Each structure stands twice: as structure tokens, then as C-alpha cells.
């Protein structure tokens, strides 16, 4: 249990506190603070609510989602891509979405995260700041563990006109965390997939892209169901846990990826 609470009023102060306090963590919406995966609970909390990191804004070539924007604000925004709306709707319930932030969602980067697959599928990048200054970071590098600094915003570029996107997920109940999350995207020209992205959560320690399957599909018409499912099953290696057996999750991943690809191929829009 934390015994000290800090509320810095500038990004510089937040970074200074994080550097000076050995056992501290940044606090956003707080929905996961008691379940945070640490060897022991943080004794110092650095709340980010006074730093002006909220809001969703239109930029010249895309949309910027502030790190302190809540998932409910994202769900209700008229600026973000419909697929992001759908992913936010999958996340737990309104009470949690009213507090949970996209920054906290990305900071934890859970394997079954609802928004990370769709952000990968849309080519989102992260704007972060360290004491050395601001920079943009590839989302995959962040997921892989390169999380030095403070997340300022998620930058989602405008998608190409021919980009097709679809999502699937599976959970035990509407209020539960997802067991598996899937987002796919690709361009389509002359009946062929171009630059497919297949992002899957719940089958590894963090959300992953299925690079081998992407390469096998690129530049070709969408294969039949059995071929797509075989590509997915060959690339995912989930583990047995309380949410299901490895075999169940491997099979489920194959079904959901194929279903999402088929829906995107058929032009079914995210709503």
C-alpha cells in the first residue's frame, strides 16, 4: 500500500520525482493500482492529473489522444477511428472506462489489452518525454519493454483510403477482461491484400504481431478459412492458465483472426 502521494504540477517535476524516488510509479486513472504486477506495491505514487495530458485533438495528419484521456472519452469522441471506438467498448464497463486512461492502459501493456491491437493495426505511435526531451516511439518497441519516460499522447495517423480494419475479441462475461483480442488491417488493390497487420493479444506475454502470417498473406487474395487458421496456429504459442488451456487459446486465436480478416475482406465496417 502506498504511503506517499505526490501531485506535481509540471512534467519536469513529475520526471524529477520519478528519478529521485526509488520506489515510485506514475498514477493515472488508478483502476489497476492494486493489481499492478510488481514484486511489491509502490510506496510512492506520482499522480499525473495536473499535467494537462488529457484531451483528444485533430492534428494535420491524424488524431492525438492525450495520455490522460479516459477510455469512455475515447469511446464518445467523434474524432477517433471507429475501430478504436469498438475496442474501447470491449473494455470492461462504463464505471471502469470513466476512470481508466489510455496512458495507464499502455503503461501496463497487458497481454489481453483491448486497445493495443487496434492501435498497432492503425499504425499508431507514442509521444513520450524524458529528461532529455520529447520524442516519438514505435508502439511495438514500447510493448516490448522500451518504456523509459512519461507517455504524453498516442498519435494515430489518418488511415489510407483503401485501409480495411476489423476487430474480434472473446471474454467470459461483458464485465470481464478479454481472454483474446484481435485486430487486423490491410490495404486492398486488385483483389490482393497489401501490407496486412495481424495483432493478437492473449497468446504471449504481451500483444504481438503475427509477422510470418502477414508475410504469407501479403500480395495475395485472402486464402480459404483452413489456410488462414493454419497460419495463425503455427505462429501463436499461448500457455495454460486460469483463463483457458493453451490448445483452446491457440484455436480461438486462429478462429478470431480468420473471422476478422474475412469481415474486413467483405467490407464490414467497425461500428
Amino acid at each position: 500500500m502506498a504511503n506517499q502521494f505526490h501531485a506535481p504540477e509540471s512534467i519536469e517535476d513529475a520526471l524529477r520525482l520519478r528519478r529521485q524516488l526509488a520506489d515510485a510509479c506514475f498514477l493515472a486513472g488508478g483502476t489497476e493500482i492494486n493489481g499492478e504486477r510488481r514484486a511489491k506495491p509502490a510506496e510512492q505514487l506520482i499522480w499525473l492529473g495536473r499535467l494537462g495530458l488529457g484531451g483528444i485533438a485533430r492534428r494535420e495528419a491524424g488524431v492525438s489522444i492525450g495520455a490522460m484521456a479516459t477510455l469512455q472519452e475515447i469511446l464518445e469522441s467523434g474524432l477517433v477511428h471507429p475501430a478504436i471506438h469498438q475496442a474501447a467498448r470491449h473494455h470492461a464497463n462504463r464505471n471502469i472506462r470513466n476512470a481508466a486512461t489510455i496512458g495507464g492502459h499502455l503503461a501496463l501493456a497487458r497481454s489481453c489489452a483491448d486497445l493495443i491491437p487496434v492501435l498497432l493495426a492503425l499504425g499508431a505511435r507514442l509521444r513520450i518525454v524524458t529528461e532529455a526531451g520529447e520524442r516519438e516511439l514505435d508502439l511495438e518497441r514500447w510493448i516490448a519493454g522500451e518504456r523509459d519516460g512519461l507517455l504524453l499522447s498516442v498519435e494515430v495517423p489518418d488511415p489510407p483510403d483503401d485501409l480495411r480494419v476489423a476487430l474480434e475479441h472473446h471474454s467470459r462475461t461483458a464485465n470481464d477482461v478479454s481472454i483474446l483480442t484481435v485486430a487486423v488491417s490491410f490495404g486492398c488493390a486488385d483483389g490482393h491484400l497489401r501490407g496486412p497487420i495481424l495483432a493478437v493479444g492473449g497468446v504471449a506475454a504481451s500483444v504481438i504481431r503475427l509477422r510470418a502470417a502477414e508475410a504469407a498473406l501479403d500480395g495475395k487474395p485472402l486464402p480459404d478459412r483452413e489456410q488462414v487458421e493454419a497460419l495463425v496456429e503455427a505462429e501463436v504459442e499461448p500457455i495454460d492458465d486460469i483463463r483457458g488451456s493453451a490448445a483452446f487459446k491457440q484455436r480461438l486465436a486462429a478462429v478470431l483472426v480468420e473471422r476478422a480478416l474475412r469481415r474486413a475482406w467483405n467490407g464490414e465496417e467497425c461500428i
Side-chain angles (χ1 to χ4, degrees), residues 16-66:
R16 175 184 54 79
L17 284 167
R18 184 66 183 88
R19 173 172 49 82
Q20 292 177 348
L21 302 174
D23 187 17
C25 72
F26 291 131
L27 175 66
T31 61
E32 294 271 11
I33 190 64
N34 290 326
E36 190 183 4
R37 294 170 293 177
R38 294 167 61 99
K40 65 176 184 176
E43 295 185 2
Q44 312 265 356
L45 298 179
I46 304 169
W47 184 50
L48 306 177
R50 295 180 177 175
L51 304 186
L53 298 181
I56 302 169
R58 177 73 203 169
R59 304 296 189 209
E60 181 178 352
V63 172
S64 179
I65 305 173

Side-chain angles (χ1 to χ4, degrees), residues 55-57 63-67 69 74 80 84 102 119 152-156:
I56 302 169
V63 172
S64 179
I65 305 173
I74 293 168
V80 302
I84 299 178
I102 192 168
L119 293 174
L152 300 178
S153 64
V154 181
E155 306 297 321
V156 185

Side-chain angles (χ1 to χ4, degrees), residues 222-243:
L222 183 64
D224 62 30
R225 177 174 60 83
E226 290 78 9
Q227 289 178 279
V228 173
E229 291 179 354
L231 287 172
V232 176
E233 289 186 342
E235 198 167 350
V236 301
E237 297 181 351
I239 62 171
D240 296 324
D241 62 20
I242 193 171
R243 301 188 183 281

Side-chain angles (χ1 to χ4, degrees), residues 242-264:
I242 193 171
R243 301 188 183 281
S245 69
F248 165 73
K249 287 184 282 186
Q250 183 184 44
R251 182 62 188 149
L252 183 60
V255 170
L256 294 184
V257 170
E258 195 282 333
R259 186 181 297 167
L261 282 168
R262 194 71 53 187
R263 288 180 51 237

